[in-house]
Amino acid sequence: MIHSIVTENYKYRACLEYELFSIRSVSMPSLDKTTNQHFLKAYEELTQIINKMANMPESHSFEFREAISKNYRLSSRRKFLDYIRSVRNIVAHPNQQTQNEAIQVSAEFLLSVEELIKELKNPITAKNIAINLKEVYYVSTNEKIKKISRTMLDRSFSHVPILDDNRKVLGVFNESALFSYFLSDDIIDANIDLTCADIIDHCKVFADRTETFLFVKPNLREEKIINYFTEYQEEGKRVGVLFVSPSGNSNDSITGLITAWDVLSAQKSKK
């Protein structure tokens, strides 16, 4: 009797396990290889871009660490790039011998990789960061210093370009220029009618002061711009403003300008 019960229980369990296995087999969808193939193709394109940024275009490896050392913009993507490489190694070299795919790349992950590729192929440049001249407060040589100073104080401006009628830079007015003017002739009282023309020698771009002002092309990449504000020094002077002009020369009309604050704002907007 006992033997009969055990036997029946065994048969019931066996039948139940068979049914569950059948259900799992039917309901389990086969993994689509298409997404994986698209991912591997995207990885190849990403590798070419990264290796070019690393100055190692002939390398067959994913040289993302070397690229990061040469490109500030990639530093925030270090973990993601490393993860992409790990996923690629698993997909391309699976440790299983079955015919079906063991792992499938999600559509969301593939989209993230494709967006990164698009971003790297269309990098942020001076044109994207610069404040358009239409939005810049600039003055002529006839503008009074008192009015400029009041505007700078009210609107928290640190630099005011002095332009001619063709939008070419004649100089930059800031506190340093004004102090330099006062100290040059031992002036104590400022004339209420003092204009930019009166102190233009102290406002010139290449005047002897604590800052330097550079001219760049619109296609200058973001990492180069960051380097100018963080690492560039000319005789101990830091960069105050980058002026953007079509030729990148000082004798050309400017289209906009970049300060360190503009770079910071661009960085925050990406997060």
Side-chain angles (χ1 to χ4, degrees):
M1 185 69 178
I2 296 177
H3 173 73
S4 178
I5 294 175
V6 172
T7 302
E8 290 300 320
N9 285 342
Y10 175 81
K11 289 180 179 180
Y12 174 77
R13 288 178 57 191
C15 290
L16 181 60
E17 290 176 359
Y18 175 80
E19 290 298 324
L20 288 174
F21 177 79
S22 299
I23 292 171
R24 287 197 297 264
S25 299
V26 172
S27 62
M28 180 66 71
S30 59
L31 294 178
D32 183 10
K33 295 182 179 180
T34 305
T35 310
N36 284 10
Q37 292 170 354
H38 284 318
F39 167 73
L40 292 175
K41 185 177 180 180
Y43 181 84
E44 291 179 5
E45 184 178 5
L46 179 61
T47 298
Q48 293 177 359
I49 297 171
I50 291 296
N51 289 359
K52 186 176 181 180
M53 296 173 72
N55 294 329
M56 301 174 69
E58 303 301 324
S59 175
H60 297 291
S61 300
F62 189 53
E63 307 292 351
F64 76 99
R65 291 189 178 87
E66 186 66 24
I68 289 173
S69 69
K70 292 180 170 60
N71 192 307
Y72 174 87
R73 190 160 51 99
L74 283 177
S75 59
S76 62
R77 301 300 190 99
R78 178 187 294 272
K79 290 184 178 180
F80 186 46
L81 289 169
D82 195 17
Y83 184 61
I84 292 174
R85 184 188 62 168
S86 298
V87 172
R88 180 266 175 186
N89 290 340
I90 295 174
V91 173
H93 307 291
N95 292 323
Q96 47 84 26
Q97 303 299 321
T98 59
Q99 185 176 0
N100 296 326
E101 297 283 354
I103 293 175
Q104 180 180 4
V105 173
S106 69
E108 292 79 6
F109 180 69
L110 175 59
L111 180 61
S112 297
V113 175
E114 291 175 340
E115 287 177 346
L116 175 60
I117 292 173
K118 183 178 179 181
E119 178 184 328
L120 295 179
K121 291 174 70 174
N122 301 279
I124 296 175
T125 63
K127 182 180 179 180
N128 305 122
I129 300 175
I131 303 301
N132 191 283
L133 192 60
K134 294 179 181 180
E135 302 175 22
V136 173
Y137 173 62
Y138 62 88
V139 298
S140 68
T141 54
N142 296 324
E143 198 72 63
K144 292 183 179 181
I145 299 300
K146 183 176 181 180
K147 180 181 177 181
I148 300 173
S149 299
R150 172 55 59 186
T151 302
M152 291 177 68
L153 183 63
D154 292 342
R155 301 176 64 179
S156 299
F157 292 150
S158 58
H159 303 82
V160 176
I162 305 171
L163 308 182
D164 65 11
D165 294 337
N166 296 316
R167 297 178 301 175
K168 295 181 180 180
V169 179
L170 298 175
V172 179
F173 177 78
N174 60 0
E175 291 180 352
S176 176
L178 192 58
F179 292 158
S180 177
Y181 168 73
F182 285 146
L183 293 173
S184 63
D185 295 318
D186 294 326
I187 297 173
I188 298 176
D189 295 322
N191 188 326
I192 193 171
D193 295 321
L194 191 70
T195 66
C196 288
D198 297 321
I199 67 170
I200 193 64
D201 287 341
H202 304 276
C203 297
K204 289 181 178 178
V205 172
F206 303 108
D208 184 19
R209 45 181 161 173
T210 58
E211 293 179 314
T212 187
F213 304 94
L214 305 176
F215 292 79
V216 300
K217 293 182 178 181
N219 62 351
L220 183 70
R221 293 197 174 192
E222 181 187 31
E223 59 269 19
K224 294 291 185 181
I225 295 172
I226 293 173
N227 286 340
Y228 274 132
F229 286 108
T230 59
E231 299 179 8
Y232 180 88
Q233 282 195 341
E234 183 181 279
E235 298 179 357
K237 300 177 183 179
R238 61 184 177 86
V239 174
V241 174
L242 293 178
F243 290 108
V244 182
S245 67
S247 65
N249 296 323
S250 60
N251 58 356
D252 201 358
S253 302
I254 65 169
T255 58
L257 60 80
I258 302 172
T259 67
W261 291 109
D262 300 321
V263 177
L264 183 61
S265 296
Q267 291 289 310
K268 288 183 177 180
S269 65
K270 293 193 302 182
K271 296 180 179 179

